[in-house]
Amino acid sequence: MIKERFKLIPTVYLILTKDNKILLSRRYNTGFHDGEYSLPAGHLHGENETLKQAMVREAKEEVGVEMDLADLELVHVMHRRQQEPTNERRVNFFFMAKKWKGEPRIVEPNKCDDLRWVEFGKMPNNTIHYIKQVINCFRNNITYSEYGF
């Protein structure tokens, strides 16, 4: 008998920076941390999509910027336990775009109601806690962290 293996849900997040600022989006009408700031993010679409491919797709879908796979650098991985009600285990991959085409804008107003460049030392109080942790890790060149355990 083959035992089913434990499964993790992979998620990709985009880190865009300029002039000592980071791009944050405020979640809206999603049922997950609505009213809080996060990074542009999303899930893989199917078993044949790679993490980088998902990140390129999500960047265009969420904030209207285009980038090449080669311009993405994996800068942090977080193993995260999603709290109630789902109690899921996730592995989050944070990619920094070295360059991109286009000016970030809200492309999905049904899921995001604010998009802004924020100075690193001035994160809004309503930034998702694990996102604050990742941004701190990113600034300190820490490539792995855990949250929620």
Side-chain angles (χ1 to χ4, degrees), residues 50-56 67-73 95:
T50 69
L51 294 169
K52 280 188 169 185
Q53 289 169 339
M55 189 74 274
V56 167
M67 59 195 65
D68 294 327
L69 297 174
D71 292 324
L72 288 173
E73 178 183 351
F95 290 95

Side-chain angles (χ1 to χ4, degrees), residues 15-24 96 100 116-124 135 138-140:
I15 295 176
L16 294 182
T17 64
K18 74 173 185 179
D19 303 326
N20 201 37
K21 294 180 181 178
I22 188 166
L23 185 71
L24 296 180
M96 180 181 71
W100 64 88
R116 63 174 66 174
W117 293 100
V118 177
E119 290 183 39
F120 278 103
K122 298 182 180 178
M123 292 292 115
I135 291 170
F138 170 71
R139 292 186 72 202
N140 290 290

Side-chain angles (χ1 to χ4, degrees), residues 106-120:
I106 297 173
V107 179
E108 298 177 313
N110 58 322
K111 295 180 181 179
C112 173
D113 67 355
D114 188 32
L115 188 67
R116 63 174 66 174
W117 293 100
V118 177
E119 290 183 39
F120 278 103

Side-chain angles (χ1 to χ4, degrees), residues 2-144:
I2 298 175
K3 183 178 178 182
E4 187 172 328
R5 295 187 185 269
F6 176 75
K7 293 188 173 112
L8 293 168
I9 299 169
T11 310
V12 293
Y13 290 79
L14 181 62
I15 295 176
L16 294 182
T17 64
K18 74 173 185 179
D19 303 326
N20 201 37
K21 294 180 181 178
I22 188 166
L23 185 71
L24 296 180
S25 61
R26 188 169 56 202
R27 300 182 60 82
Y28 169 74
N29 200 33
T30 67
F32 182 76
H33 288 280
D34 290 334
E36 295 181 72
Y37 284 93
S38 185
L39 299 166
H43 300 95
L44 278 70
H45 280 187
E47 62 186 43
N48 293 321
E49 186 175 49
T50 69
L51 294 169
K52 280 188 169 185
Q53 289 169 339
M55 189 74 274
V56 167
R57 177 183 48 74
E58 288 289 350
K60 187 171 184 178
E61 289 176 2
E62 290 198 10
V63 294
V65 297
E66 296 183 17
M67 59 195 65
D68 294 327
L69 297 174
D71 292 324
L72 288 173
E73 178 183 351
L74 181 64
V75 293
H76 192 78
V77 176
M78 174 181 273
H79 184 199
R80 181 169 63 86
R81 177 178 171 220
Q82 178 61 42
Q83 302 300 317
E84 297 298 329
T86 62
N87 205 28
E88 299 166 326
R89 303 302 191 273
R90 295 178 175 260
V91 62
N92 300 334
F93 298 90
F94 295 84
F95 290 95
M96 180 181 71
K98 298 175 195 170
K99 62 182 179 177
W100 64 88
K101 298 175 193 132
E103 188 61 31
R105 67 189 190 287
I106 297 173
V107 179
E108 298 177 313
N110 58 322
K111 295 180 181 179
C112 173
D113 67 355
D114 188 32
L115 188 67
R116 63 174 66 174
W117 293 100
V118 177
E119 290 183 39
F120 278 103
K122 298 182 180 178
M123 292 292 115
N125 289 335
N126 59 333
T127 302
I128 297 173
H129 290 291
Y130 71 86
I131 296 298
K132 286 181 183 178
Q133 177 177 316
V134 166
I135 291 170
N136 185 53
C137 288
F138 170 71
R139 292 186 72 202
N140 290 290
N141 296 311
I142 298 169
T143 58
Y144 176 79

